[in-house]
Amino acid sequence: MTQLPDSDSAIFQAAVMLEPEQRTAFLERACGGNSRLRDEVESLLRAHAPNDSFLQAPLVAMTTAQPASQRPGTMVGPYKIREQIGEGGFGVVYVAEQEKPVRRKVALKVIKLGMDTRDVIARFEAERQALALMDHPNVARVLDAGASEGGLSSNRARHVPSEAFLAATTRPHRVAR
Amino acid sequence: MTDVTQILSQIEDGDPSAAEQLLPLVYDELRKLAAAKLSNEKPGQTLQATALVHDAYLRLVDVDKAQHWDSRGHFFAAASEAMRRILVEAARRKSREKHGGNWERVPIEPDLLVSAEATDPLQVLVVNEALDHLAQQSPRKAELVKLRYFLGFTLAEAANVLGISVATAEDDWTYARAWLRREWLRGRPMGADEKT
């Protein structure tokens, strides 16, 4: 017999080809006294289910009823969206209205869905801090930053993100001096 | 507009920041194409990710310029990640609705996509997380899963993109599928295993 496979994936591959009743003896030889390796391969063999539908079909996307894109009137946190004024790789900028505690127009930058990775959130936070440090009539002033309510749907999906947003004064020249 | 062909050439030259620039461009294009394709369709129409991604490739990449190097490989790697995010986001949304998330979700992006009708959205989320762990251990196997599960590539197409033989891809797939299924079964509530 040729050399025995030694990685968990190689042992698994070889074991899958065997009849179930031959597997125990094979694992005995291939894993030797390495019980960790053997546990790993055995747990993979238990999960191996060629006839199960798991991952067999690719995900497909489907339409939902109505595109809800940038609907004017949508609330993000305390802000009501008016219109989109800009778009970058990771975020979209809207003109929005704040009603309480004061009524005013703001520029609202919202991270795009699916782009809310830790890196992007960190960059967003850095931008917020950089803007907050600046106090100049030609630079938009940060008013608020936060996350709209995303909520947790179950303990399994613990990373359900909320929409991070950044609100700033609209055009720099509108900043009261 | 940033030139995707140029970014692909930077990736080819080993510029690590280039791949990061590519992802949002491909993501936007895929969403845009999906929106255009679906805007005239009735609710419930399905969308073939494979066709979408090939369209995006032809629209974004100067094929004549890019033919000398592995532009397709780099592009599809970014596309599978972009599609993964789109589909996982759709699954999150769906699972939130299903499990009585009582928060009001703010639909900023087009509400176009939900995951496959037959698939439990929770399964999509668990696979998505487990895939990151698999990628740490076996990056190639995780790439293969992304190409097949999120882009709908056949085994042969995925093998071609990854530059491996179909036989190797088949072995990788068998292993990765068992690995991910194990994670999925582990995370399920007690007593639910038998039903599979």
Side-chain angles (χ1 to χ4, degrees):
Chain A
M1 167 131 193
T2 50
Q3 206 188 344
L4 283 166
D6 55 358
S7 73
D8 71 321
S9 105
I11 296 172
F12 169 78
Q13 289 305 341
V16 159
M17 309 301 280
L18 299 172
E19 296 299 324
E21 58 272 19
Q22 295 177 296
R23 286 180 186 167
T24 311
F26 169 75
L27 291 179
E28 196 95 352
R29 280 187 297 133
C31 301
N34 188 341
S35 60
R36 239 185 105 188
L37 179 62
R38 183 160 177 175
D39 287 349
E40 174 70 14
V41 176
E42 281 182 339
S43 69
L44 287 170
L45 287 170
R46 276 196 300 275
H48 172 71
N51 299 322
D52 185 64
S53 65
F54 183 79
L55 291 199
Q56 295 294 40
L59 284 183
V60 288
M62 288 171 59
T63 42
T64 54
Q66 280 295 314
S69 72
Q70 300 113 27
R71 271 196 296 230
T74 301
M75 297 296 292
V76 175
Y79 306 100
K80 187 186 269 183
I81 286 184
R82 283 282 156 247
E83 57 177 322
Q84 182 179 330
I85 51 172
E87 183 173 4
F90 295 107
V92 181
V93 182
Y94 302 93
V95 172
E97 257 168 37
Q98 182 181 10
E99 296 199 338
K100 284 178 198 168
V102 290
R103 194 187 172 90
R104 61 182 158 188
K105 262 189 180 174
V106 302
L108 192 71
K109 186 171 180 179
V110 183
I111 293 187
K112 290 181 186 175
L113 293 180
M115 281 289 150
D116 41 10
T117 60
R118 217 164 292 154
D119 280 0
V120 174
I121 300 277
R123 212 179 301 169
F124 203 64
E125 177 61 19
E127 181 181 347
R128 184 187 75 79
Q129 288 188 2
L131 281 173
L133 285 174
M134 288 186 263
D135 183 13
H136 187 275
N138 291 337
V139 176
R141 253 187 327 144
V142 172
L143 300 169
D144 185 13
S148 61
E149 291 151 344
L152 299 173
S153 60
S154 82
N155 55 358
R156 194 69 94 35
R158 42 192 186 283
H159 297 309
V160 176
S162 46
E163 264 131 0
F165 66 85
L166 186 68
T169 50
T170 46
R171 301 301 305 162
H173 61 260
R174 289 201 193 136
V175 176
R177 293 208 61 190
Chain B
M1 152 128 200
T2 322
D3 186 0
V4 169
T5 312
Q6 194 196 327
I7 297 179
L8 287 170
S9 132
Q10 285 169 304
I11 297 177
E12 182 76 8
D13 293 341
D15 177 352
S17 65
E20 208 177 292
Q21 294 173 44
L22 184 60
L23 179 59
L25 293 175
V26 177
Y27 177 89
D28 277 350
E29 183 67 20
L30 286 174
R31 284 208 83 107
K32 231 183 287 166
L33 282 177
K37 277 210 162 54
L38 295 175
S39 58
N40 300 322
E41 303 276 5
K42 289 192 205 99
Q45 289 296 321
T46 58
L47 183 77
Q48 295 305 317
T50 321
L52 201 64
V53 167
H54 281 101
D55 279 2
Y57 179 76
L58 292 177
R59 287 168 56 97
L60 291 175
V61 180
D62 182 337
V63 181
D64 290 336
K65 258 194 226 165
Q67 64 183 339
H68 303 298
W69 30 270
D70 183 25
S71 63
R72 283 163 47 87
H74 301 312
F75 184 86
F76 290 136
S80 65
E81 181 60 31
M83 209 62 208
R84 172 190 185 178
R85 292 178 186 208
I86 290 171
L87 292 168
V88 165
E89 184 50 46
R92 278 198 181 118
R93 211 179 289 180
K94 200 174 175 186
S95 119
R96 210 176 285 130
E97 286 163 17
K98 228 174 144 172
H99 295 269
N102 49 2
W103 298 101
E104 193 198 344
R105 177 87 186 174
V106 185
I108 295 298
E109 285 279 290
D111 200 8
L112 284 173
L113 306 168
V114 297
S115 58
E117 60 234 274
T119 308
D120 178 354
L122 262 190
Q123 183 175 313
V124 181
L125 301 184
V126 173
V127 168
N128 177 52
E129 271 192 41
L131 206 48
D132 285 337
H133 297 291
L134 180 64
Q136 282 165 15
Q137 181 200 312
S138 329
R140 189 182 74 198
K141 294 187 178 85
E143 281 301 317
L144 176 69
V145 173
K146 277 158 71 173
L147 290 167
R148 293 207 68 193
Y149 191 50
F150 298 118
L151 290 193
F153 277 30
T154 64
L155 203 60
E157 285 170 332
N160 185 23
V161 168
L162 293 170
I164 57 179
S165 72
V166 176
T168 303
E170 205 162 355
D171 284 354
D172 279 4
W173 176 251
T174 308
Y175 178 90
R177 190 171 161 272
W179 200 96
L180 292 168
R181 188 164 180 272
R182 180 182 67 185
E183 299 307 303
W184 162 239
L185 294 176
R186 262 183 195 163
R188 291 167 80 190
M190 299 280 267
D193 289 17
E194 292 79 26
K195 278 195 292 183
T196 310

